[in-house]
Amino acid sequence: MAATGIRSGEAYRLDRDQVDLDTGLLAVMHSKFGKSRQLPLHPTTVAALRRYAALRDRSVEPTQPAFFVTASGTRITPATAGRTFRRLLAATSIAAPPGRRAPRLYDLRHRFAVVTLLDWHRDGVDVQRQLPALSAYLGHLSPANTYWYLEAVPELMAVVAERLARCWEGQP
């Protein structure tokens, strides 16, 4: 989820034949609004998924075609994923600052979108022009649905403000 920005439900529903580690493509089928899409995977993501699949296949006798499974071989559920995520947060001492809500799995999708936008701004990419590509990658119906990720993330707002200031000063 952190490497692709897919929704948690899309990750839970992935079947083995939808994760092609030879071509580095992830097929997200019949997702929100019935949309399907193929996502290219970074080589480091492919390597991590290969390690997971090898460990899974050595450790578990699958009872379903799911890519991500529990110790008993069944498809992972939102409840199981949530519990595991909270245990990992505790084990790594990751906690929300006082007055903030605890991190959620969905936050990985949000972070993916924000980091992509940050990188584009830092690299001087025409974000308006690229936003439809990010929107399609995330499975949104239109770029307007992607603007939600532009909310006041301090780091993103600082990069945008710096870029705007350079533009006003006549710099690229």
Side-chain angles (χ1 to χ4, degrees), residues 3-98:
T4 62
I6 64 174
R7 297 173 180 95
S8 50
E10 293 169 341
Y12 307 146
R13 288 189 302 275
L14 281 174
D15 284 339
R16 289 169 184 239
D17 64 351
Q18 295 169 329
V19 182
D20 189 335
L21 300 176
D22 293 327
T23 62
L25 288 174
L26 188 71
V28 179
M29 307 303 295
H30 313 294
S31 191
K32 196 170 183 179
F33 307 112
K35 294 182 73 171
S36 297
R37 63 194 190 281
Q38 281 197 325
L39 305 178
L41 300 172
H42 190 273
T44 58
T45 303
V46 171
L49 290 173
R50 273 190 205 284
R51 287 191 302 274
Y52 164 78
L55 178 61
R56 175 202 62 207
D57 293 346
R58 283 193 312 270
S59 307
V60 176
E61 184 66 37
T63 62
Q64 299 173 334
F67 187 80
F68 296 111
V69 296
T70 65
S72 62
T74 60
R75 186 176 300 277
I76 196 166
T77 65
T80 303
R83 277 192 306 274
T84 302
F85 186 67
R86 286 187 295 278
R87 279 198 310 259
L88 289 170
L89 290 173
T92 56
S93 300
I94 296 173

Side-chain angles (χ1 to χ4, degrees), residues 150-172:
L150 298 173
E151 71 180 37
V153 173
E155 189 178 8
L156 180 57
M157 297 308 287
V159 170
V160 171
E162 178 183 317
R163 194 167 175 193
L164 184 58
R166 281 197 319 263
C167 182
W168 283 341
E169 295 168 0
Q171 299 173 18

